[in-house]
Amino acid sequence: MPDDRPYDAIIIGAGAAGMFCAALAGQRGRRILLLDHNSEPGRKILISGGGRCNFTNVGAQAENFLSANPHFAKSALGRFTPSDFIALVDKHRIAWHEKTLGQLFCDGSSRQIVAMLLDECAAGGVETAFGGSSTIEHRDGAFHVGKSSAPALVLATGGLSIPKLGATSLAYDIARRFGHKIVEPRPALVPLTLPVDQALFKELSGVSANVVASVGKGRFREAALFTHRGLSGPAILQVSSYWRHGDAVIIDFLPDLGAGWLRQAKRDHPQQTFRRVLARLLPERLAATLADQLRVEGDLGNVPDRTLEGAERQLSGWHFLPNGTEGFAKAEVTIGGISTADLSSRTMESRRVPGLFAIGEAVDVTGWLGGYNFQWAWASAYAAAQAL
Ligand code: FDA
């Protein structure tokens, strides 16, 4: 029988947050309309985690997120945890594994997560309209989207990353229209580019090493990868979220070695060259480039201790000065977005316009690499769904 009740809420954006919010609210008995301008929902989920969707991180806590208000995410993250999402994945018999650092991936395909969310939407009687766009108005206490209207509107259109998958600034535009502030959106979890004077490192394209990379408060021990344009790999993507123009990225190439290791190497292997010693610790091409840059020549036994100490200091705190990022086209997420200042951390509802909600990546809450961004999408969706 067709449902002729009025809609309780219209959700714009059928990505991770929008689909999950629609499903939960529908299952709470709300009549929900879920819209997306793409003809296929969840396109970012499909390509996420290299096609296996890193759907959560077991260690997700507010400390793993960046926001102008670092406390904002606590309430939602605390009320819908990684275990809650894992229980749903298990209910749908989707096999998964922990890859590293608490990151959970599907054994099979990201498609299973999209199918699960669509099944949950169907269980909640969610109505969907994909592949069209509509005007949005607010009058007489209701939100009018095309020919449909509802007392609540949920903005779930994500950030600006990967425009070719359908990313737009719609959530920011609407929020701004209703008087919300937008924290400047910037590409994050994105490769960094190096200027010509550091071009030497571009010759290392394809070489990676396990390092500690730092920018400001961001410090990550993971792999860094040299590319023909600059720096990439998990360690660099992580620190890119903390990076602003003018900042140095500091790399410790040998984080496991304590102070004095090079002088010790001189005593143990006085007839080895610096380059040879480095090549035992780092990929050969990287060792050669670093040795050339440090200009430590000849057998270690003939190199003054002071020179070795200087080389050691540089190897544990190499300064790269990126001149930019690879931009929204390559960024996994957008940092910044709808300011949390005028949103309820409990419900994600606007404090300015009753009935207006914002969830997921559209909000100024950005997770580290490793399943954190999906956990925020699920948790913020859950918070809003309880209030619809
Ligand atoms: P999301 O972007 O998922 O959805 C927004 C929806 O709104 C889209 O369906 C879009 O079409 C729609 N929309 C946009 N503008 C619209 C408009 N004007 N009208 C109507 N609809 C509109 N995270 C993680 O935790 N683990 C991972 O493995 C990965 N991997 C990953 C890989 C790659 C390549 C990218 C680009 C990103 C990731 N991420 C990730 C990040 C993760 O995908 C992202 O944070 C979430 O998808 C955000 O969920 P949202 O629902 O907020 O936005």
Side-chain angles (χ1 to χ4, degrees), residues 13 15-17 36-38 47-49 54 157 166 168 332 361 371 373-374:
D36 202 292
H37 67 166
N38 277 343
I47 60 157
S48 68
N54 176 194
T157 55
T168 71
E332 270 196 25
E361 200 180 310
N373 285 295
F374 279 137

Side-chain angles (χ1 to χ4, degrees), residues 44-347:
K44 265 190 199 163
I45 301 175
L46 292 176
I47 60 157
S48 68
R52 292 223 158 95
C53 187
N54 176 194
F55 55 81
T56 192
N57 190 299
V58 289
Q61 294 178 20
E63 290 70 39
N64 309 117
F65 294 83
L66 292 88
S67 169
N69 175 0
H71 302 292
F72 181 83
K74 282 184 185 161
S75 169
L77 290 171
R79 282 181 299 135
F80 189 85
T81 65
S83 313
D84 294 321
F85 196 75
I86 294 166
L88 184 66
V89 169
D90 287 344
K91 187 180 110 189
H92 285 257
R93 298 176 186 280
I94 299 173
W96 53 267
H97 61 280
E98 179 174 340
K99 200 169 172 189
T100 174
L101 303 170
Q103 303 168 4
L104 305 193
F105 286 76
C106 298
D107 289 356
S109 153
S110 303
R111 290 204 171 275
Q112 295 171 287
I113 299 293
V114 175
M116 175 188 90
L117 293 168
L118 288 173
D119 279 357
E120 291 289 318
C121 282
V126 173
E127 287 156 63
T128 58
F130 299 150
S133 61
S134 324
T135 53
I136 297 160
E137 284 173 37
H138 185 231
R139 61 186 137 74
D140 310 324
F143 296 91
H144 306 271
V145 183
K147 289 191 181 136
S148 308
S149 47
L153 177 72
V154 182
L155 304 175
T157 55
L160 300 176
S161 325
I162 326 268
K164 70 171 192 234
L165 290 183
T168 71
S169 61
L170 185 77
Y172 308 153
D173 300 340
I174 297 176
R176 216 180 257 123
R177 220 208 285 164
F178 287 115
H180 282 261
K181 291 206 166 55
I182 306 298
V183 177
E184 183 203 356
R186 292 180 288 125
L189 301 184
V190 63
L192 299 170
T193 56
L194 289 175
V196 186
D197 64 337
Q198 292 171 58
L200 187 66
F201 286 93
K202 296 182 191 174
E203 288 165 20
L204 295 174
S205 183
V207 172
S208 81
N210 286 316
V211 304
V212 169
S214 338
V215 174
K217 284 190 202 150
R219 189 170 186 275
F220 296 88
R221 187 187 176 127
E222 285 188 67
L225 170 73
F226 292 93
T227 71
H228 64 287
R229 300 195 58 190
L231 299 167
S232 187
I236 300 301
L237 299 185
Q238 297 281 29
V239 294
S240 73
S241 301
Y242 294 80
W243 183 83
R244 285 183 181 266
H245 276 275
D247 287 343
V249 172
I250 299 168
I251 296 209
D252 183 349
F253 282 110
L254 297 165
D256 288 325
L257 299 183
W261 70 268
L262 203 43
R263 271 182 297 142
Q264 185 63 42
K266 172 178 168 178
R267 279 194 285 279
D268 295 344
H269 310 284
Q271 281 161 348
Q272 272 188 11
T273 60
F274 176 59
R275 193 181 179 126
R276 182 86 201 282
V277 170
L278 269 192
R280 281 198 279 118
L281 301 165
L282 290 167
E284 194 149 352
R285 280 165 64 201
L286 175 59
T289 303
L290 292 173
D292 286 349
Q293 294 267 302
L294 290 170
R295 295 169 203 266
V296 181
E297 319 273 346
D299 291 348
L300 280 187
N302 298 327
V303 181
D305 281 0
R306 202 161 353 123
T307 307
L308 293 180
E309 280 160 20
E312 216 183 273
R313 262 197 309 280
Q314 292 214 52
L315 287 169
S316 61
W318 202 281
H319 280 52
F320 288 94
L321 269 178
N323 58 357
T325 75
E326 292 202 15
F328 285 116
K330 293 280 166 63
E332 270 196 25
V333 290
T334 303
I335 195 164
I338 300 171
S339 166
T340 59
D342 285 325
L343 294 176
S344 155
S345 61
R346 203 170 160 75
T347 62

